[in-house]
Amino acid sequence: MNIVLVGTQWGDEGKGKIIDLLSEDTDIIVRYQGGNNAGHTVIIGEEEFILHLIPSGILRPNKECFIGNGVVIDPKALLEEIQMLRDRNVDVGPHNLHISKSANVIMPYHKLTDRLREEEAIGRIGTTKRGIGPTYLDKAGRVGIRMVDLLSETQLTWKLKRNLKEINLILQKIYGEKGVSYDQLMEEYLEYGKKLQDYIKDTVSLLNFHINQKKNVLFEGAQGTMLDVDHGTYPFVTSSNTTAGGACTGTGVGPTKIDKVIGVMKAYTTRVGEGPFPTELEGEMADKLRNAGPIGEYGRSTGRPRRCGWLDMVVVRRSVLVNGLDSLAITRLDILDDLDKIYVCNKYKYKDTYIEDFPEELEILQNCTPVYEEVKGWKTPTAEIKEFTKLPQKALEYISKIEDLTGVPINILSVGPKRLQTIKK
Ligand code: GDP
Ligand code: IMO
Ligand code: MG
């Protein structure tokens, strides 16, 4: 069975935990888009791992992990992540980590222009400043440097020379910065190539070979549907296709090979960075959601506090559509344990009209008000519950309401960050 797992909101839904759970019955775990803007948390026993680039499946023994062509890779960050895992006794090497030759490389000038653009007062997106946007810009502009280029001095030479001619003009004339030195970059990136050469492969052939051998593959989405460059709250999005289709283009596996798509949905909503968020809360209620439970809502990549709000079904229903979701996994249900009342947004009000289908107009998203349905809280701790039927009645009603409003079954319920704090229905 080949499964794609995606975030249904604005990222940080708890994908890392669910990936770790599903990896148990999977042979291969694949990242297909994004880069080290992601931060996926997996808790094993008392240990916490935060993965940015390497698939979360690496934490289980005897799994093979792939970083597909759709991912953008900062080689320095990748080498650091490999080292971090090895220091913590996780087995990582070219035998269980395969990196696509065609994945685009994040260069220092991408990180620099990401930061410089963010410092402009107009149009701030609140990016992670990891160089993600500028790298995808070069990829689409056909001037990207690919992982395979790090293995060829001739290829890297002409591409880097061509790119620096333009980028140094931009840095100097537009931003008043110093230019970037060709010699230094050349030396540094050829060195990364040497260190990573055994990992860099034809992942399309290798992955399809495994699929033809009936191995089980899990495609690990990063970010969330509302951050998708086509389907999200554009322009306040990331620069890749975070939705299920990205799993095919980002790995070279055809859509006929995908059996199932699972969406991960937090029991409420969070967002990091700028952009519209209709159900966002402020003040005491937002703080309560942010600080409840064992791990608060602070970014795993940048440490920024996450914006918090109620569950938005207009958003999740859009995710059901654009990903073709078969089922949902709900996470952080335990965070709602103490609340007297819980609210679910099922439509927006804009001027005199009600909107149930996700609006693509930024104008509407920024100015609509959510229309809520009230649900009574269960006021019972859920973190130790292991069986679906043992959940408090009001929690079951909340679950059933979400299933009704999305038309999709919830098959996995997470009531804490640990592996055992999971209920399968
Ligand atoms: P990801 O980016 O989608 O993998 O999510 P993050 O790792 O950025 O954020 C999710 C956070 O919630 C992490 O700190 C997880 O350890 C934690 N988490 C996941 N599931 C649950 C849950 O059911 N309850 C609680 N309290 N925390 C959870
Ligand atoms: P995971 O995989 C939450 C957000 C940034 C910013 C926007 C664009 O952990 O869910 P970028 O650096 O990608 O150009 O920033 O996207 N963002 C995320 N938000 N979780 C993530 O990943 C994110 N990756 C990017 O905060 O608003
Ligand atoms: Mg995250």
Side-chain angles (χ1 to χ4, degrees):
M1 169 100 81
N2 301 324
I3 301 174
V4 179
L5 182 136
V6 294
T8 60
Q9 295 151 320
W10 278 280
D12 303 326
E13 296 89 350
K15 297 176 294 296
K17 175 181 162 165
I18 306 299
I19 287 282
D20 171 61
L21 203 76
L22 298 177
S23 311
E24 195 176 0
D25 302 319
T26 302
D27 305 298
I28 293 165
I29 303 92
V30 192
R31 275 281 308 269
Y32 56 85
Q33 46 69 229
N36 62 330
N37 48 348
H40 297 175
T41 316
V42 180
I43 312 254
I44 304 175
E46 295 306 310
E47 275 203 80
E48 180 189 77
F49 292 89
I50 299 169
L51 292 140
H52 301 286
L53 199 49
I54 298 177
S56 305
I58 200 78
L59 300 172
R60 289 191 183 263
N62 308 320
K63 307 288 173 191
E64 289 199 37
C65 291
F66 283 73
I67 298 180
N69 54 277
V71 176
V72 289
I73 301 176
D74 179 340
K76 184 166 181 273
L78 175 61
L79 285 161
E80 282 168 4
E81 195 160 315
I82 292 173
Q83 195 54 48
M84 177 277 289
L85 290 168
R86 285 190 179 155
D87 289 346
R88 298 178 69 180
N89 300 317
V90 178
D91 174 33
V92 194
H95 60 289
N96 65 351
L97 180 62
H98 314 293
I99 298 169
S100 167
K101 288 183 183 175
S102 306
N104 272 243
V105 181
I106 301 179
M107 302 295 289
Y109 50 83
H110 293 131
K111 286 188 270 192
L112 191 56
T113 47
D114 193 359
R115 179 172 64 77
L116 291 167
R117 276 190 162 189
E118 282 290 292
E119 282 167 4
E120 300 263 302
I122 304 167
R124 250 190 104 232
I125 288 171
T127 74
T128 58
K129 299 187 185 157
R130 303 286 199 267
I132 306 294
T135 307
Y136 279 113
L137 187 65
D138 276 3
K139 173 181 172 173
R142 297 163 296 184
V143 294
I145 289 171
R146 292 171 150 199
M147 287 304 280
V148 71
D149 297 327
L150 303 185
L151 308 180
S152 159
E153 194 167 342
T154 38
Q155 290 297 317
L156 192 60
T157 300
W158 80 263
K159 289 185 179 170
L160 201 54
K161 279 200 169 142
R162 174 199 59 195
N163 291 2
L164 285 190
K165 225 159 126 188
E166 191 182 24
I167 196 78
N168 278 337
L169 271 179
I170 294 173
L171 286 173
Q172 288 156 359
K173 303 259 176 211
I174 299 183
Y175 295 107
E177 292 278 322
K178 279 205 319 244
V180 191
S181 145
Y182 163 81
D183 291 331
Q184 202 183 323
L185 272 192
M186 200 56 201
E187 192 184 330
E188 184 181 347
Y189 279 72
L190 284 175
E191 188 57 30
Y192 294 142
K194 278 199 193 117
K195 290 188 173 145
L196 290 167
Q197 60 186 348
D198 294 339
Y199 293 86
I200 302 171
K201 295 164 201 173
D202 169 7
T203 50
V204 174
S205 298
L206 195 56
L207 191 54
N208 279 286
F209 170 79
H210 285 307
I211 288 176
N212 291 334
Q213 301 286 309
K214 303 285 175 234
K215 293 273 175 66
N216 296 319
V217 181
L218 180 57
F219 295 86
E220 173 172 351
Q223 289 81 51
T225 300
M226 285 295 129
L227 291 171
D228 183 285
V229 67
D230 284 278
H231 298 292
T233 47
Y234 192 88
F236 300 97
V237 293
T238 191
S239 300
S240 64
N241 283 117
T242 60
T243 43
C248 292
T249 52
T251 58
V253 170
T256 50
K257 307 285 194 238
I258 308 293
D259 300 298
K260 211 172 173 175
V261 186
I262 300 178
V264 184
M265 180 193 73
K266 209 176 270 197
Y268 48 99
T269 314
T270 60
R271 167 163 212 173
V272 213
E274 308 299 317
F277 178 178
T279 64
E280 181 169 18
L281 291 163
E282 271 164 21
E284 210 179 306
M285 195 57 228
D287 290 340
K288 204 165 175 178
L289 288 176
R290 190 174 301 115
N291 297 313
I295 308 172
E297 292 287 7
Y298 296 87
R300 312 309 278 163
S301 281
T302 57
R304 290 177 290 176
R306 293 173 182 155
R307 299 157 66 190
C308 296
W310 298 117
L311 187 56
D312 185 338
M313 301 323 295
V314 180
V315 161
V316 180
R317 272 201 301 269
R318 189 62 159 204
S319 287
V320 172
L321 286 188
V322 297
N323 294 296
L325 295 186
D326 293 296
S327 64
L328 285 165
I330 185 168
T331 60
R332 295 182 71 93
L333 192 65
D334 53 301
I335 299 300
L336 306 181
D337 284 352
D338 290 338
L339 304 181
D340 294 315
K341 286 173 189 163
I342 298 164
Y343 294 88
V344 182
C345 164
N346 191 36
K347 56 187 172 195
Y348 302 148
K349 184 160 193 253
Y350 177 70
K351 294 183 177 163
D352 291 327
T353 54
Y354 289 101
I355 298 173
E356 290 187 9
D357 292 330
F358 179 78
E360 285 165 274
E361 297 84 347
L362 197 57
E363 160 72 19
I364 298 181
L365 279 167
Q366 284 169 331
N367 295 299
C368 65
T369 44
V371 179
Y372 288 114
E373 296 188 17
E374 187 182 298
V375 183
K376 286 219 161 54
W378 43 92
K379 308 279 283 175
T380 314
T382 55
E384 300 306 320
I385 296 175
K386 305 276 180 272
E387 281 171 54
F388 185 68
T389 50
K390 300 265 166 66
L391 281 167
Q393 186 54 34
K394 295 248 159 25
L396 291 173
E397 284 169 21
Y398 188 59
I399 304 295
S400 152
K401 181 167 204 73
I402 298 166
E403 291 184 321
D404 285 348
L405 296 178
T406 55
V408 174
I410 295 177
N411 290 342
I412 300 173
L413 296 95
S414 175
V415 289
K418 297 184 176 170
R419 277 177 176 170
L420 290 176
Q421 292 176 303
T422 315
I423 302 168
K424 286 189 185 158
K425 200 168 94 187

